[in-house]
Amino acid sequence: MAKVYVDAQAYRALEKGAMIIFKKGVIRVDGEIKPGDIVEVYSRGGKFLGKGFANPNSNIMVRLVTKERDVEVGKELFKERIRKANEYRKKVLGCNKVYRMVYGEADYLPGLIVDRFNDIAAIQISSAGMERFKLDVAEAILEVEPEIETIFEKNTGRARRREGLPEIERVLLGKEKYRTIIKEGKAKFIVDMRGQKTGFFLDQRENRIALEKYVKPGMEVLDVFTYTGGFAIHAAVAGAEKIIAIDKSAQAIKQARENAKLNGVEDKMEFIVGSAFQEMERLIKEGRKFDIVILDPPAFVQHEKDLKNGLRAYFNVNYQGLRLLKDGGILVTCSCSQHVDMQLFKDMIIAASAKAGKFLKMLEPYRTQAPDHPILMASKDTEYLKCLFLYVEDMK
Ligand SMILES: C[S@@+](CC[C@H](N)C(=O)[O-])C[C@H]1O[C@@H](n2cnc3c(N)ncnc32)[C@H](O)[C@@H]1O
């Protein structure tokens, strides 16, 4: 087994509980490493720090799996971790049949995401190491949660390409099934695992439910970046009179329409396939104003180097959103960019409100991802979602 030696900074981070070793923190490698190999990690002075999956081609060179020398990295270990992760969701968080069952390194299962939608588990693997144990992991999920009958492999996306892994989307084990209906707050959704990510953005669940209490009969709502209708359907079932929902994906909007029908709210919803920026500009020109505007864009900052451009995109979209609000309206604004922390996000929205001539009041404490996407205190990478509920008044 190859040995990887890390510098003092990486060593301190690991001691505090981090599970990731970046290439820049590696000072020496003894032996040859192929993507997905298990390696031992040592401090500069030779102290054993753990074992993990390595990928010499990736910016994240090692993802620690265990800090114990004697623990064998294999099915039994993964099964035990999946069992613990599942138990945490069910016993501590009170999750039932729809939840994120495994959230990568926050559950000490680096590179593995498992989203449960009733009797289907959608798995997403983003590390070459975990890929080698794919079947073991799938079998372990079925053993831990016998109500699950299908393991759907949703192995697509940028992270996989970065690790040099092929894109695969299929039922891996069990019954041939990839669609189901879930309930969330007052709303119902069809989840089709062939959609974006694992089919549904479970991380926004609590924020979508929180929206319901601000919706009053007669309100007009604009949901920008709606995907399959997430916030928009909640607004509709909570009593809004007219809802416009925009997304650039025709496939997502097709499903959003199905979701509207499923909830019996299709008559008050207008769906638009198009660019958020262009459609919002058009609505501004038409002089439209809404009681609630929701902005849940994709991650505009994928890498630290994109921070400046990404923040500009957040600024532009929020500036547009603010101009579309009535005096005394509500802005729900989100960022799922891990590199944009809450302070940067706040600074951006303050600048956008100043330009739009608006005062902002926080309606809710700082909101983040749903708790079944736990934030590991020592690992910045596990914290990514920001969501602000803001009361917006005109500066007069
Ligand atoms: C984070 S998801 C939104 C999730 C949604 N709010 C929910 O609760 O399910 C971001 C969405 O933005 C859409 N999108 C990305 N770029 C866009 C653009 N320029 N204009 C409109 N939609 C865009 C994607 O298709 C995706 O559905």
Side-chain angles (χ1 to χ4, degrees):
M1 199 180 292
K3 294 180 178 174
V4 172
Y5 291 83
V6 298
D7 66 12
Q9 201 181 347
Y11 172 37
R12 277 195 301 275
L14 293 180
E15 282 220 311
K16 282 189 198 149
M19 299 292 279
I20 276 177
I21 298 158
F22 291 95
K23 212 175 222 167
K24 62 177 189 237
V26 173
I27 47 177
R28 194 176 94 225
V29 176
D30 283 356
E32 203 193 320
I33 309 178
K34 291 188 295 311
D37 279 355
I38 296 168
V39 296
E40 288 181 344
V41 178
Y42 292 87
S43 69
R44 185 191 292 269
K47 183 177 173 196
F48 176 81
L49 300 175
K51 286 190 281 190
F53 296 137
N55 190 342
N57 307 328
S58 168
N59 192 27
I60 298 174
M61 183 133 169
V62 183
R63 295 164 194 265
L64 272 202
V65 177
T66 176
K67 295 198 172 185
E68 302 291 322
R69 195 191 285 268
D70 302 333
V71 168
E72 194 187 325
V73 177
K75 182 174 175 186
E76 281 318 304
L77 177 68
F78 295 137
K79 185 174 166 186
E80 179 53 16
R81 298 235 167 122
I82 291 170
R83 190 192 62 70
K84 274 179 133 175
N86 194 46
E87 191 175 88
Y88 172 67
R89 269 69 174 179
K90 294 182 95 173
K91 291 208 174 139
V92 181
L93 302 178
C95 297
N96 188 11
K97 286 176 188 290
V98 178
Y99 53 95
R100 175 152 289 189
M101 192 171 175
V102 173
Y103 176 41
E105 58 168 316
D107 289 301
Y108 321 110
L109 288 160
L112 176 66
I113 297 287
V114 183
D115 282 350
R116 177 181 177 187
F117 302 103
N118 300 321
D119 54 1
I120 311 175
I123 68 168
Q124 204 160 37
I125 291 176
S126 60
S127 83
M130 194 56 86
E131 179 80 0
R132 289 175 43 200
F133 295 95
K134 186 163 73 181
L135 267 178
D136 287 339
V137 162
E139 284 168 6
I141 295 167
L142 295 179
E143 287 164 29
V144 164
E145 195 54 71
E147 281 182 24
I148 295 176
E149 296 181 337
T150 298
I151 306 289
F152 188 82
E153 176 182 2
K154 188 64 195 285
N155 276 328
T156 55
R158 207 173 300 116
R160 245 182 111 76
R161 290 195 290 277
R162 269 202 303 266
E163 285 269 313
L165 295 167
E167 303 213 45
I168 312 165
E169 190 178 297
R170 59 164 180 191
V171 170
L172 177 64
L173 276 186
K175 283 191 185 163
E176 192 65 32
K177 210 176 159 191
Y178 40 78
R179 253 167 99 93
T180 185
I181 292 177
I182 63 163
K183 180 128 182 48
E184 184 183 88
K186 294 180 185 156
K188 284 181 279 184
F189 293 95
I190 299 161
V191 176
D192 188 325
M193 268 128 266
R194 297 165 303 174
Q196 294 182 26
K197 302 276 168 158
T198 56
F200 197 68
F201 291 87
L202 285 173
D203 52 359
Q204 285 281 26
R205 179 184 53 238
E206 314 298 329
N207 302 327
R208 284 188 295 255
I209 294 173
L211 174 71
E212 289 185 358
K213 72 171 180 281
Y214 295 103
V215 178
K216 304 282 177 293
M219 279 188 164
E220 288 187 73
V221 176
L222 175 66
D223 181 16
V224 189
F225 309 98
T226 192
Y227 185 46
T228 56
F231 285 95
I233 303 279
H234 278 275
V237 296
E241 187 175 300
K242 172 100 191 107
I243 304 101
I244 298 182
I246 303 170
D247 202 282
K248 72 169 186 188
S249 159
Q251 187 55 37
I253 289 293
K254 184 168 172 260
Q255 214 184 309
R257 285 186 209 281
E258 283 186 58
N259 284 330
K261 275 207 185 91
L262 178 71
N263 288 276
V265 292
E266 67 273 29
D267 290 348
K268 49 186 186 173
M269 305 199 65
E270 184 188 337
F271 291 104
I272 300 172
V273 178
S275 147
F277 297 92
Q278 283 170 17
E279 292 302 323
M280 287 169 86
E281 208 47 53
R282 181 179 62 76
L283 292 168
I284 291 168
K285 282 201 181 110
E286 288 173 7
R288 300 290 295 269
K289 294 277 179 186
F290 297 85
D291 299 283
I292 301 180
V293 171
I294 300 119
L295 305 172
D296 183 17
F300 286 144
V301 183
Q302 297 281 350
H303 306 281
E304 223 158 349
K305 67 176 171 46
D306 305 329
L307 197 56
K308 204 168 155 216
N309 288 341
L311 280 171
R312 193 172 308 125
Y314 281 114
F315 175 90
N316 289 338
V317 92
N318 278 274
Y319 175 58
Q320 286 180 306
L322 285 163
R323 289 163 72 203
L324 285 164
L325 274 169
K326 293 178 185 166
D327 188 17
I330 294 172
L331 179 71
V332 177
T333 182
C334 313
S335 161
C336 56
S337 298
Q338 182 229 317
H339 298 291
V340 177
D341 64 18
M342 187 52 94
Q343 192 56 51
L344 277 176
F345 192 55
K346 268 178 71 178
D347 292 345
M348 176 283 299
I349 187 73
I350 291 167
S353 70
K355 188 170 176 198
K358 307 276 185 180
F359 284 121
L360 304 179
K361 285 183 186 144
M362 271 180 79
L363 272 173
E364 294 262 328
Y366 298 108
R367 301 190 67 94
T368 179
Q369 62 228 42
D372 47 348
H373 302 56
I375 296 167
L376 204 58
M377 291 297 283
S379 170
K380 242 181 121 213
D381 310 307
T382 56
E383 182 174 9
Y384 65 96
L385 189 66
K386 286 133 305 260
C387 175
L388 293 173
F389 278 54
L390 302 167
Y391 185 69
V392 182
E393 291 166 295
D394 289 347
M395 267 184 204
K396 283 181 188 147

